[in-house]
Amino acid sequence: MITQEAIRDSIRRYKESGLSVREFCSNEGIGRSTFYYRLKKHREKDQAKKTSFALLKKPLRTGSMKPLRNMEFTVPPTIPGRKS
Protein backbone atom coordinates (compact mmCIF):
# COMPACT_ATOMS: atom_id res chain seq x y z
CA MET A 1 0.00 0.00 0.00
CA ILE A 2 1.27 3.46 -0.87
CA THR A 3 1.75 6.02 1.91
CA GLN A 4 0.24 9.51 2.01
CA GLU A 5 3.73 10.94 1.80
CA ALA A 6 4.38 9.00 -1.42
CA ILE A 7 1.08 10.23 -2.87
CA ARG A 8 1.93 13.86 -2.02
CA ASP A 9 5.36 13.40 -3.58
CA SER A 10 3.86 11.91 -6.73
CA ILE A 11 1.38 14.78 -7.08
CA ARG A 12 4.16 17.31 -6.56
CA ARG A 13 6.28 15.62 -9.24
CA TYR A 14 3.31 15.66 -11.62
CA LYS A 15 2.71 19.38 -11.11
CA GLU A 16 6.40 20.17 -11.58
CA SER A 17 6.76 17.92 -14.65
CA GLY A 18 4.62 19.94 -17.05
CA LEU A 19 3.48 16.63 -18.56
CA SER A 20 -0.07 15.62 -19.31
CA VAL A 21 -1.63 13.13 -16.90
CA ARG A 22 -1.37 10.46 -19.60
CA GLU A 23 2.36 11.08 -20.12
CA PHE A 24 3.10 11.31 -16.39
CA CYS A 25 1.23 8.11 -15.57
CA SER A 26 2.95 6.28 -18.42
CA ASN A 27 6.37 7.40 -17.10
CA GLU A 28 5.44 6.42 -13.52
CA GLY A 29 3.91 3.09 -14.52
CA ILE A 30 0.50 3.76 -12.96
CA GLY A 31 -2.96 3.88 -14.50
CA ARG A 32 -4.69 7.21 -14.98
CA SER A 33 -7.67 6.03 -12.93
CA THR A 34 -5.29 5.23 -10.05
CA PHE A 35 -3.68 8.66 -10.36
CA TYR A 36 -7.05 10.45 -10.36
CA TYR A 37 -8.26 8.36 -7.40
CA ARG A 38 -5.16 9.25 -5.37
CA LEU A 39 -5.47 12.90 -6.38
CA LYS A 40 -9.11 12.96 -5.26
CA LYS A 41 -8.29 11.37 -1.89
CA HIS A 42 -5.36 13.74 -1.40
CA ARG A 43 -7.59 16.76 -2.07
CA GLU A 44 -10.27 15.47 0.30
CA LYS A 45 -7.74 15.05 3.11
CA ASP A 46 -6.20 18.44 2.38
CA GLN A 47 -9.63 20.09 2.42
CA ALA A 48 -10.52 18.37 5.69
CA LYS A 49 -7.43 19.90 7.29
CA LYS A 50 -8.44 23.37 6.12
CA THR A 51 -12.05 23.06 7.23
CA SER A 52 -12.75 24.04 10.79
CA PHE A 53 -15.84 24.65 12.82
CA ALA A 54 -16.95 24.95 16.40
CA LEU A 55 -19.37 22.38 17.76
CA LEU A 56 -21.98 23.86 20.09
CA LYS A 57 -23.66 21.73 22.69
CA LYS A 58 -26.94 23.21 23.79
CA PRO A 59 -28.30 22.10 27.16
CA LEU A 60 -31.83 20.73 27.10
CA ARG A 61 -34.56 22.99 28.40
CA THR A 62 -36.48 21.65 31.31
CA GLY A 63 -39.77 23.10 32.39
CA SER A 64 -40.06 26.85 31.84
CA MET A 65 -38.73 29.07 29.05
CA LYS A 66 -35.77 30.36 31.06
CA PRO A 67 -32.78 31.67 29.10
CA LEU A 68 -30.18 29.07 28.27
CA ARG A 69 -26.92 29.35 30.16
CA ASN A 70 -23.67 27.48 30.38
CA MET A 71 -23.18 26.95 26.67
CA GLU A 72 -20.25 24.65 25.94
CA PHE A 73 -17.97 25.40 22.98
CA THR A 74 -15.70 22.71 21.61
CA VAL A 75 -12.88 24.02 19.42
CA PRO A 76 -11.18 21.46 17.21
CA PRO A 77 -7.37 21.47 17.43
CA THR A 78 -7.06 22.03 13.65
CA ILE A 79 -8.16 25.67 13.72
CA PRO A 80 -5.32 27.82 12.35
CA GLY A 81 -3.78 30.14 14.90
CA ARG A 82 -4.96 28.15 17.89
CA LYS A 83 -2.28 27.70 20.49
CA SER A 84 -2.17 24.28 22.16
Side-chain angles (χ1 to χ4, degrees), residues 5-17:
E5 185 177 336
I7 291 172
R8 281 192 302 272
D9 187 50
S10 177
I11 293 168
R12 180 191 52 76
R13 285 194 322 273
Y14 162 69
K15 289 178 179 178
E16 292 174 353
S17 74

Side-chain angles (χ1 to χ4, degrees), residues 75-77 79-84:
V75 181
I79 292 181
R82 179 172 183 227
K83 295 180 181 177
S84 300

